[in-house]
Each structure stands twice: as C-alpha cells, then as structure tokens.
Amino acid sequence: LDANNTPSTDTNDFAPKPIAAAEGKSAWNTAGTWEERDVTPWATETLTAALLTAEYVLPDGSPSPGARAVVSNVSKLEGHASYATVRGTKKYIYEFAFTIKWALTLGGDDDAQQQTCRGEMTFPDVDGTVELGEGYDIVNYHVDGSSPAGTGPLLDRFVRDGGLREAVHGAIDDWVKLFRATY
C-alpha cells in the first residue's frame, strides 16, 4: 500500500535478489558459522592407496636382512571424512577403521629359498584425535597358520611392534597431510 492506502503498482520491491557468496562459503551462510562437506569417497580411495604403499625392508643385522614386509590388501575400511569451515577456519573431521593384510617374504633371491609369512591386523581408531607422529593402536593381530614355524619373534618385532606397523603409521600420517593440503 502507498501513502493513500491504495495498492502499490511497484512489484520490484519484492523481487528476489541474489546473494553473493564469499570464497568457500555458501550464499545462505554469510556469517560463516558452520559449513561441512562430505569427502568420504575421496578419503576412502586415497587412504586405501596410501596404505598399499606401506612397506618395510628388514635391516642388515636382522635375521633376514633385505626381506620385505608389505601391505598386500586393505579390507573392511569403514568410516567417514569431511571438512568444515567454522568462522573462516577449516576443521578436518575423519574417523576410520580398517584391517590390513600383510606379507613378509623371507629368504634369499632364489625363489626356492623364499618363504612367505602372512597375516592381518586391524587399526580401529584412525581419527583426528591422534596427533601426527603419535602412532595408532592395533587390535586383532593375527599370523596365518601357513607361515613358517619359528618366525613369531621376527614377526612380532618387524611387523606387529615396529617396522611395517611404523610404515603404516607413516602412510596414515602422509594421508592426513594430503587431506589437509587438498581441502
């Protein structure tokens, strides 16, 4: 209504007007209070790839110098990843659990002398509460029954307690750095 109580003919007063969004923010969230984006598919793919690069070569002076322990498979990878922008600051939110299958090939260069130990271990809590370099807990460490007899202490030392486990920790930490650099 105008000043004379007659209907106004100006319809442009109520037309929707576009809101300009700032870089990295939605138009609806101009205050930048909280905006979260799910990146789980990317995280699952890149974390799996990072884990499959983990390997450890047993050092000189070990019972089998030059033997390689590798991650041969990643299974049961479950979890989520996202990042949030909170008042202009990025927060990285991720929580994963997975089981890796590993193999350690012992022996010389001759295939006839080589023996392979196999097993698996589960990392139940790979998340943002763990600082880079701290390492991650494992559960359900298991050595396959077909592994050569007498290799238990070697596997404990170079797979379960150090060596390959530390290489897996490094691969996870590298993935976290990639996550932060990518988003």
Side-chain angles (χ1 to χ4, degrees), residues 124-136:
D125 295 310
V126 174
D127 59 40
T129 64
V130 179
E131 293 293 326
L132 295 180
E134 279 187 5
Y136 302 86

Side-chain angles (χ1 to χ4, degrees), residues 24-26 28-35 85-89:
K25 293 182 185 175
S26 294
W28 62 267
N29 190 8
T30 57
T33 54
W34 181 276
E35 187 164 332
T85 305
V86 182
R87 302 209 184 275
T89 303

Side-chain angles (χ1 to χ4, degrees), residues 13-173:
D13 289 344
F14 302 106
K17 294 175 179 51
I19 300 172
E23 176 99 19
K25 293 182 185 175
S26 294
W28 62 267
N29 190 8
T30 57
T33 54
W34 181 276
E35 187 164 332
E36 187 172 347
R37 298 202 180 169
D38 180 32
V39 294
T40 301
W42 174 89
T44 301
E45 180 181 325
T46 56
L47 179 57
T48 299
L51 292 168
L52 289 170
T53 67
E55 73 173 23
Y56 179 75
V57 177
L58 274 64
D60 292 340
S62 70
S64 188
R68 286 183 51 229
V70 299
V71 173
S72 59
N73 189 13
V74 179
S75 64
K76 301 177 189 170
L77 183 94
E78 297 174 351
H80 64 89
S82 61
Y83 68 94
T85 305
V86 182
R87 302 209 184 275
T89 303
K90 286 205 175 169
K91 307 282 184 194
Y92 300 92
I93 305 158
Y94 58 95
E95 182 176 18
F96 287 100
F98 54 84
T99 298
I100 61 166
K101 294 185 185 294
W102 54 265
L104 172 62
T105 303
L106 304 168
D109 294 330
D110 181 8
D111 286 345
Q113 296 176 351
Q114 291 183 344
Q115 296 179 311
T116 301
C117 303
R118 298 182 191 284
E120 63 183 40
M121 57 184 152
T122 300
F123 290 78
D125 295 310
V126 174
D127 59 40
T129 64
V130 179
E131 293 293 326
L132 295 180
E134 279 187 5
Y136 302 86
D137 293 334
I138 65 166
V139 296
N140 301 330
Y141 173 79
H142 171 73
V143 177
D144 189 296
S146 66
S147 296
T151 56
L154 178 80
L155 298 174
D156 289 350
R157 180 174 177 194
F158 293 112
V159 174
R160 184 190 69 193
D161 299 333
L164 183 61
R165 180 178 176 182
E166 290 172 358
V168 170
H169 292 178
I172 296 167
D173 287 351

Side-chain angles (χ1 to χ4, degrees), residues 92 175-183:
Y92 300 92
W175 175 82
V176 171
K177 293 173 192 171
L178 175 66
F179 181 26
R180 292 175 180 171
T182 302
Y183 294 101

